[in-house]
Amino acid sequence: MISGYLRADGRKGIRNTVVVAYLVECAHFVASKIVAGFDGEDVQLIGFPGCFPNEYAAQMMERLCTHPNVGAVLFVSLGCESFDKVRVSNVVSESGRPVKTLVIQKAGGTAGTVQAGRDWVRATLDQIAKAPRAAMGVDELIIGTVCGGSDGTSGISGNPAAGKAFDLLVGEGAACIFEETGELIGCEEIMAERAITPELGQALRESVQKAERYYATLGYGSFAAGNAAGGLSTIEEKSLGAYVKSGDSPISGLIKPGDVPPRGGLYLMDVVPDGEVRFGFPNISDNAEIVEMIASGAHLTLFVTGRGSVVGSAISPVIKICANPDTYRALEGDMDVNAGDIIEGKRSIEAVGQEIRDLVVAVASGAQTKSEALGHREFILTYKSFEPIGPACLPASA
Amino acid sequence: MTGPFLLLHPNDNVLVARALAPEGLEVALEGGTVRLSRPIPMAHKIARHAIDEGTRILKYGMPIGIATQAIAAGEHVHVHNIRSAYTATHVLQDADGVSAGVSQ
């Protein structure tokens, strides 16, 4: 049984992090200096760079700062930015977490704010060390999956193994989220057939069609040059490889960033903004997707890579699954699971899937992932806009 | 099956390299043995048999693109001779699939 951190809202976390969040790029450096005073302790930096208001970013920040892995939050504001710091602070306060906002323009500038911030974090670390613990089952976990730095091995070894792990975890009652509708182009029909209702199936289909229109307007697919060097020729080839990481479970719902799955099951996250193309590419890099799944409650993320990504994440640990045996040998220090064994005929997809499932439970129980131990805490949040999900997207349990 | 190339689905018209396959390697295909005219990096594809221009390329039993020219059995199948049915593929200098980034 996992020993979770019990939060006032009843949700349970697998980490107990103090988050320091800058509310505009102008406060980024000061916030990072505060965090730098706590090397080796669980104090992490997140933030939003923009000075213009954005409802998506505001909601994401609220979700992230009340994530069950977060124990307390320090906001760092320059003072004149548009981010509504009172609203976000109230949301965190109402969640029962210690929260403080420092305004650089009123707190003595850089030096004064860094000192005040470090003093608050030091005292708060001691305070939240006493957070109540509670037994936590696999059925209380939310797990996301992404792939990044994909190559032709991803769809043969790493993603099928992640899909097998998802099948095992969904079978145990966990909520599992897969994503990037732009990387499901070409899979919409086979995916729609897995929906628990026809109406949800249609919503899944439409979410991929939206992604196709969005990327067509931008002129690029969700496809990097390294994907081609790694043997992938087209977006639909990449999509089919990415799709298998969803496993074989029925699809229980379609959510958008920040929507928390209401119960166990498999969920697709629609990450492509609604309306006209406004703020550029939906997710400019892999960490943007990871952050969105964390905002939807993901306690940890499975990251499948072929070319070799080394990223981790703020707030929730990342388990790195390496699909390519050559990459695994080159980057072993960054990789948690060697799915390349499947390519080389040494292990089955089932065996690697079981290893991933067991590692999920171990990490939820406190074991550090490779990226966590190395100190990776990447984070990115940019401008987007979404409409709420429609009534067909979360059918009552079928 | 532990040969140098994987058939992922019985309907596929491409095979996938499970490790770097060197130039000149003899590969037994259904239509006879072919000699690779260039090295095929891990996870790249070759034609399982001759493919006509305009034919759908099948991998995992699913369409992954359309042949833009006739492709001979055993030939490298990649961005230089197939295209997406959806969004054009962005590549750097490696129009034939070869670049400094190709894993060796």
Side-chain angles (χ1 to χ4, degrees):
Chain A
M1 193 61 91
I2 303 158
S3 176
Y5 294 90
L6 181 61
R7 307 303 178 190
D9 61 6
R11 296 162 79 193
K12 294 169 191 165
I14 64 168
R15 297 291 185 269
N16 196 27
T17 301
V18 175
V19 158
V20 179
Y22 58 90
L23 299 179
V24 64
E25 180 60 22
C26 319
H28 186 163
F29 175 78
V30 171
S32 67
K33 289 291 280 186
I34 294 169
V35 172
F38 298 92
D39 192 30
E41 296 181 84
D42 199 352
V43 181
Q44 301 182 9
L45 181 71
I46 70 170
F48 180 66
C51 191
F52 298 91
N54 181 243
E55 181 57 26
Y56 158 82
Q59 291 185 13
M60 290 288 289
M61 195 65 93
E62 291 172 11
R63 295 291 191 182
L64 292 162
C65 290
T66 57
H67 186 284
N69 288 357
V70 173
V73 184
L74 174 65
F75 292 108
V76 184
S77 159
L78 176 62
C80 45
E81 74 275 10
S82 299
F83 202 103
D84 190 341
K85 54 183 171 284
V86 175
R87 177 181 137 184
V88 73
S89 169
N90 285 342
V91 167
V92 177
S93 179
E94 285 160 15
S95 79
R97 289 170 173 81
V99 59
K100 179 153 182 88
T101 304
L102 290 173
V103 178
I104 295 169
Q105 290 164 354
K106 294 179 179 170
T110 300
T113 308
V114 169
Q115 189 58 54
R118 287 185 180 180
D119 290 348
W120 187 85
V121 170
R122 171 53 54 209
T124 303
L125 278 169
D126 295 340
Q127 183 185 345
I128 66 169
K130 304 178 195 99
R133 306 296 290 261
M136 184 177 183
V138 173
D139 61 346
E140 295 177 274
L141 286 174
I142 302 175
I143 301 131
T145 184
V146 294
C147 44
S150 295
D151 68 15
T153 65
S154 301
I156 302 171
S157 61
N159 287 329
K164 189 59 65 180
F166 259 24
D167 289 345
L168 294 169
L169 291 160
V170 168
E172 293 179 70
C176 294
I177 308 170
F178 70 112
E179 49 71 64
E180 187 41 311
T181 43
E183 293 171 3
L184 294 168
I185 290 170
C187 306
E188 55 271 22
E189 292 303 326
I190 46 175
M191 183 166 67
E193 290 169 10
R194 292 169 58 195
I196 58 173
T197 67
E199 294 77 18
L200 173 61
Q202 184 57 26
L204 294 172
R205 211 176 271 123
E206 288 169 2
S207 74
V208 178
Q209 288 161 355
K210 179 179 73 170
E212 193 190 339
R213 283 195 304 275
Y214 208 93
Y215 278 103
T217 303
L218 294 167
Y220 290 105
S222 180
F223 196 101
N227 296 144
L232 297 174
S233 305
T234 62
I235 182 62
E236 54 265 45
E237 181 179 12
K238 181 178 175 182
S239 294
L240 287 162
Y243 172 69
V244 297
K245 70 184 186 294
S246 66
D248 287 324
S249 303
I251 298 173
S252 295
L254 175 65
I255 59 174
K256 291 182 180 177
D259 298 332
V260 177
R263 61 187 76 83
L266 179 65
Y267 297 82
L268 173 66
M269 177 176 284
D270 176 5
V271 302
V272 174
D274 294 306
E276 290 175 24
V277 175
R278 266 194 279 182
F279 300 120
F281 291 93
N283 281 330
I284 59 174
S285 55
D286 296 324
N287 277 97
E289 295 166 8
I290 294 173
V291 164
E292 290 185 329
M293 289 197 292
I294 295 170
S296 285
H299 293 93
L300 40 76
T301 304
L302 309 180
F303 188 123
V304 180
T305 186
R307 302 291 288 171
S309 171
V310 302
V311 303
S313 178
I315 299 177
S316 295
V318 172
I319 292 175
K320 209 74 62 46
I321 300 162
C322 189
N324 183 319
D326 290 345
T327 303
Y328 182 82
R329 284 185 278 270
L331 300 178
E332 190 173 351
D334 288 283
M335 300 298 165
D336 296 288
V337 175
N338 181 13
D341 280 351
I342 297 165
I343 302 265
E344 297 189 327
K346 295 174 182 166
R347 286 198 293 165
S348 66
I349 289 171
E350 288 71 21
V352 177
Q354 183 68 47
E355 181 194 345
I356 296 167
R357 179 267 169 210
D358 293 346
L359 188 56
V360 164
V361 174
V363 170
S365 302
Q368 285 205 314
T369 67
K370 293 269 179 74
S371 51
E372 250 186 321
L374 287 163
H376 283 279
R377 297 292 184 273
E378 286 85 347
F379 183 89
I380 187 166
L381 181 60
T382 59
Y383 285 94
K384 276 185 156 182
S385 57
F386 283 99
E387 303 289 331
I389 57 171
C393 292
L394 286 176
S397 190
Chain B
M1 184 175 105
T2 54
F5 289 91
L6 288 170
L7 176 65
L8 297 177
H9 188 280
N11 294 346
D12 288 357
N13 50 15
V14 292
L15 305 172
V16 179
R18 58 190 303 148
L20 173 68
E23 181 178 346
L25 181 75
E26 290 192 347
V27 181
L29 302 174
E30 286 106 304
T33 297
V34 297
R35 192 180 289 272
L36 296 181
S37 60
R38 47 153 299 169
I40 304 295
M42 178 189 291
H44 283 237
K45 302 172 291 294
I46 62 168
R48 184 183 178 193
H49 48 67
I51 298 171
D52 293 334
E53 181 180 345
T55 302
R56 291 200 307 180
I57 305 299
L58 297 179
K59 179 185 175 189
Y60 311 108
M62 302 289 292
I64 61 160
I66 298 163
T68 56
Q69 60 192 65
I71 304 171
E75 192 180 329
H76 191 206
V77 176
H78 199 24
V79 294
H80 61 293
N81 54 16
I82 75 171
R83 66 172 174 84
S84 171
Y86 293 83
T87 317
T89 299
H90 167 69
V91 293
L92 296 178
Q93 78 279 21
D94 56 339
D96 63 352
V98 179
S99 76
V102 171
S103 60
Q104 293 296 317

